Amino acid sequence: MIATLDRWLAQTVLRALLLLGARERALQQAARQIARNPGNRHALATRAHLLVAQGQPRQALADLERLVPLAPEQASAWFNLGYVQELLGDTPAAAQAFLQAVAIDPDMDRAWYGLALCRIREGRWDDAVVALKRNTELQPMSPHGWYQLARVHVDRKQPDEA
């Protein structure tokens, strides 16, 4: 009972620090939680988010690589891993993480978009089109997927498709 209350209180403090915009203190709080419990999924995800926001994606990658095996069923963990891998230029690994995210949650539009960007970088145009079409089905009001879809068609010398 005490351990459960302690975990709840620590998470509440972390959320409050984030709400108050005290990012550095939130980062310290997440680190304390991880030191006490290396398998704390919430603290790992939070610290990774804060590290990316501070321009430290390599450090965030370490947390996300620890998080994914702890939460293999969580599409957002896979998406975040793919996002950071893509940010660091590891396109093949990012594509695999995005594929895992959409396998878990086929309606995760941002994972489809990330996968499409990876496929574009790899020159896999047909796969990029498939991913972009799914992204635009899920998020028809966002211009990003439509722009990339048109760009792929222009790059492939298909102006009518664009």
Side-chain angles (χ1 to χ4, degrees), residues 16-119:
L17 290 168
L18 291 170
L19 284 171
L20 294 170
R23 291 177 170 259
E24 194 57 43
R25 292 203 46 215
L27 192 57
Q28 294 166 1
Q29 173 70 8
R32 279 193 297 275
Q33 288 183 28
I34 294 165
R36 280 195 312 227
N37 176 9
N40 185 326
R41 298 180 336 177
H42 180 261
L44 285 165
T46 301
R47 184 167 73 177
H49 169 79
L50 291 167
L51 288 168
V52 169
Q54 287 185 343
Q56 300 178 54
R58 290 215 182 281
Q59 292 85 343
L61 181 63
D63 282 345
L64 293 168
E65 287 174 338
R66 288 173 59 191
L67 175 62
V68 166
L70 296 170
E73 75 294 341
Q74 195 173 37
S76 61
W78 286 101
F79 169 79
N80 290 333
L81 175 64
Y83 176 84
V84 172
Q85 289 169 325
E86 199 263 335
L87 188 64
L88 292 169
D90 191 352
T91 301
Q96 288 304 311
F98 291 137
L99 281 169
Q100 190 64 36
V102 298
I104 296 166
D105 182 359
D107 293 336
M108 184 177 267
D109 61 283
R110 63 189 191 268
W112 285 107
Y113 184 75
L115 177 60
L117 293 179
C118 290
R119 297 308 188 213

